[in-house]
Amino acid sequence: MFRINIAASQGAGAVNEDVVGHVSDAAWVIDGASGVGGALTGAPSDAAWFAQQASRELAAALATQGGCSTGTILRHVMER
């Protein structure tokens, strides 16, 4: 049995670009990499925006398509 007791992410910089998440019996860690150019989003950092968006999409996909393969779920998330 898979049980999440705590999910936390604390970055060293002013903006935390890493995300942890879980839904039901799935868990993930997204390591947001710092941008190399000018800002593309209105978020505190593009990497933080990307990691948070990917985590939200993953949670939504797993909630609705939980029986699909990991590859199918990740393809769906990348398409979104």
Side-chain angles (χ1 to χ4, degrees):
M1 181 169 144
F2 187 75
R3 181 177 167 186
I4 304 294
N5 290 323
I6 187 170
S9 176
Q10 183 176 2
V15 177
N16 186 1
E17 297 173 334
D18 303 330
V19 176
V20 297
H22 62 91
V23 171
S24 185
D25 61 351
W28 58 90
V29 175
I30 299 173
D31 182 11
S34 299
V36 294
L40 301 172
T41 68
S45 84
D46 291 342
W49 175 88
F50 182 81
Q52 291 166 2
Q53 185 67 26
S55 184
R56 281 191 294 273
E57 293 293 340
L58 221 102
L62 287 166
T64 60
Q65 304 174 35
C68 294
S69 70
T70 301
T72 298
I73 295 287
L74 292 176
R75 273 190 294 281
H76 174 79
V77 169
M78 287 185 279
E79 288 170 0
R80 300 278 301 151

